Amino acid sequence: MTDHAPLGRLNHIGVATPSIARSVETYRTLLGATAIGEPFDLAAQGVRVCFIDTPNTQIELIEPYDESSPIAGFLRSNPAGGQHHLCFEVADIHAAIADLTAKGARVLGEPRIGAHGTPIVFVHPKDMGGVLVELMETPLAGH
Amino acid sequence: MTDHAPLGRLNHIGVATPSIARSVETYRTLLGATAIGEPFDLAAQGVRVCFIDTPNTQIELIEPYDESSPIAGFLRSNPAGGQHHLCFEVADIHAAIADLTAKGARVLGEPRIGAHGTPIVFVHPKDMGGVLVELMETPLAGH
């Protein structure tokens, strides 16, 4: 069993929404969000995303492209939207995957490039107390 | 309509669990958590909580006291546990409540003293895109 690196910073909270535009308005009007990025497509994942900065982390709004998007299934169960995942930073995605796998946790698929341009991977929520956890190699800039 | 203070820092993510002890073990073993507080009771809210530090925020593990706890209902729908709420800091809880109410959002009940000793209040998830949002007056220490 490999040693584990210490728990990294919370890069973002993923929040599924049927409409990024409406959610941006909600966060702006009700919570005072001002640092709101431009939405962009993550085509490989079938979603459109938009980051909202808080002073210490980010909220990632996630809207499905179409009915085949994995987020579309989440929204069928939660039509208003809701909390979808938590993303923690790791120094080395391959070391993290090796460590989790050695400990019996299920890592979902191979690493792919995430919204901040570094490799990411998801851990099965059944191994994380019902929480879908994304691990992201720490972005070199942008904090 | 009152002006809104800027979006505050994410104080913590609330994660419901049927067992704080098992969740602590999961976060320690799989994610490398090391800064894990002692669990304590929030009797007025019918829950036991435990804070885990990440470098930039905290995870609040929440376990119900008994079947009458509001968290018990959440766990009936999500037996393994899951993401329960997001808590953002505000400078003045009464100003925040007045602002939200003026804008038509539903604030749930009166402010009460939260896990960090300052007043907190919840906003109805139907007004926040399906996300249960807690607002907490910024603690004077403990960041």
Side-chain angles (χ1 to χ4, degrees), chain A:
Chain A
M1 195 167 293
T2 50
D3 283 337
H4 200 299
L7 178 60
R9 69 188 290 283
L10 182 78
N11 184 276
H12 64 263
I13 307 142
V15 172
T17 173
S19 165
I20 284 176
R22 282 206 303 276
S23 285
V24 161
E25 203 44 38
T26 297
Y27 281 84
R28 193 198 309 271
T29 308
L30 296 184
L31 295 187
T34 53
I36 299 167
E38 281 299 313
F40 61 97
D41 296 338
L42 277 181
Q45 296 170 44
V47 295
R48 190 164 175 77
V49 301
C50 174
F51 284 91
I52 297 177
D53 291 352
T54 78
N56 58 331
T57 188
Q58 293 184 304
I59 298 158
E60 179 189 36
L61 298 172
I62 317 165
E63 179 185 319
Y65 260 171
D66 56 36
E67 284 304 301
S68 70
S69 165
I71 292 290
F74 181 91
L75 290 175
R76 278 191 288 276
S77 304
N78 306 275
Q83 293 184 69
H84 183 263
H85 68 266
L86 300 181
C87 176
F88 296 101
E89 296 180 8
V90 295
D92 179 332
I93 198 90
H94 295 287
I97 292 170
D99 178 66
L100 284 160
T101 305
K103 290 172 177 160
R106 284 159 286 185
V107 172
L108 302 169
E110 295 297 313
R112 53 184 189 272
I113 299 301
H116 290 310
T118 61
I120 63 110
V121 80
F122 285 89
V123 183
H124 200 299
K126 286 195 177 169
D127 296 324
M128 279 303 309
V131 176
L132 179 61
V133 168
E134 177 182 355
L135 300 177
M136 169 191 284
E137 236 176 61
T138 306
L140 293 178
H143 279 173

Side-chain angles (χ1 to χ4, degrees), chain A residues 4 10 30 56 83 103, chain B residues 4 10 29-30 56 83 103:
Chain A
H4 200 299
L10 182 78
L30 296 184
N56 58 331
Q83 293 184 69
K103 290 172 177 160
Chain B
H4 202 298
L10 181 79
T29 308
L30 296 184
N56 58 331
Q83 293 184 70
K103 290 172 178 160

Side-chain angles (χ1 to χ4, degrees), chain B residues 2-82:
Chain B
T2 50
D3 285 337
H4 202 298
L7 178 60
R9 68 188 292 282
L10 181 79
N11 184 277
H12 63 263
I13 307 141
V15 172
T17 173
S19 164
I20 284 176
R22 281 206 304 274
S23 286
V24 161
E25 202 45 37
T26 297
Y27 281 85
R28 194 199 307 271
T29 308
L30 296 184
L31 294 186
T34 53
I36 299 168
E38 281 298 314
F40 61 98
D41 296 339
L42 278 180
Q45 296 170 44
V47 295
R48 190 164 176 76
V49 301
C50 174
F51 284 91
I52 297 177
D53 291 352
T54 79
N56 58 331
T57 188
Q58 292 185 305
I59 299 158
E60 179 189 36
L61 298 173
I62 317 164
E63 179 185 320
Y65 260 173
D66 56 37
E67 283 304 302
S68 69
S69 163
I71 293 290
F74 180 92
L75 289 176
R76 279 190 288 275
S77 305
N78 306 275

